[in-house]
Amino acid sequence: MEFNEYQKLANRTLYGNEQVLTNCALGVASEAGELVDLIKKYTFHGHDLDKKELTKELGDVLWYLSQIAEWADIPFEEAAVQNIEKLKRRYPDGFSTERSRNRIE
């Protein structure tokens, strides 16, 4: 599935037209918190990493991000492409801890 197709399909389940941006921004934070909690439990509490639950939470974060882009009339794919282009400029040969320490923003 392509990003823009996902964005349009996800929009079918968006409810409301007032304060959508605020609702979606809070939703990103909430779902990211659930994602982080799974990772915390795996990293520090000795839990198994539940990939099914991790996938679900990633999808929830993705949904909210896609709807913020939809609200702002930004094709979701454009955000993805711009991010990859930025990373290519920043790390043309891939990420390196040595180069990262010497890099000036």
Side-chain angles (χ1 to χ4, degrees):
M1 175 178 294
E2 294 183 6
F3 280 115
N4 291 342
E5 178 185 6
Y6 175 85
Q7 182 179 11
K8 295 299 178 198
L9 290 171
N11 190 249
R12 295 176 49 245
T13 59
L14 181 67
Y15 175 75
N17 55 13
E18 292 185 26
Q19 300 183 348
V20 168
L21 182 62
T22 301
N23 180 49
C24 288
L26 292 170
V28 167
S30 175
E31 296 299 340
E34 292 182 35
L35 182 69
V36 167
D37 194 51
L38 283 173
I39 294 168
K40 176 192 74 171
K41 288 177 180 175
Y42 167 74
T43 304
F44 297 108
H45 300 173
H47 292 216
D48 290 335
L49 185 58
D50 184 340
K51 289 190 179 183
K52 184 176 179 182
E53 194 62 24
L54 186 65
T55 301
K56 177 188 159 299
E57 297 305 339
L58 286 168
D60 290 345
V61 171
L62 186 67
W63 186 91
Y64 280 109
L65 291 173
S66 77
Q67 294 313 289
I68 290 171
E70 180 72 16
W71 180 90
D73 197 27
I74 298 169
F76 205 32
E77 188 169 323
E78 183 179 322
V81 167
Q82 283 187 21
N83 180 256
I84 292 299
E85 303 235 338
K86 176 185 74 174
L87 292 172
K88 284 179 181 178
R89 284 190 309 273
R90 188 174 289 171
Y91 307 107
D93 300 317
F95 180 78
S96 161
T97 55
E98 184 61 34
R99 285 186 34 237
S100 181
R101 275 187 234 123
N102 296 329
R103 195 170 154 273
I104 299 174
E105 294 277 332

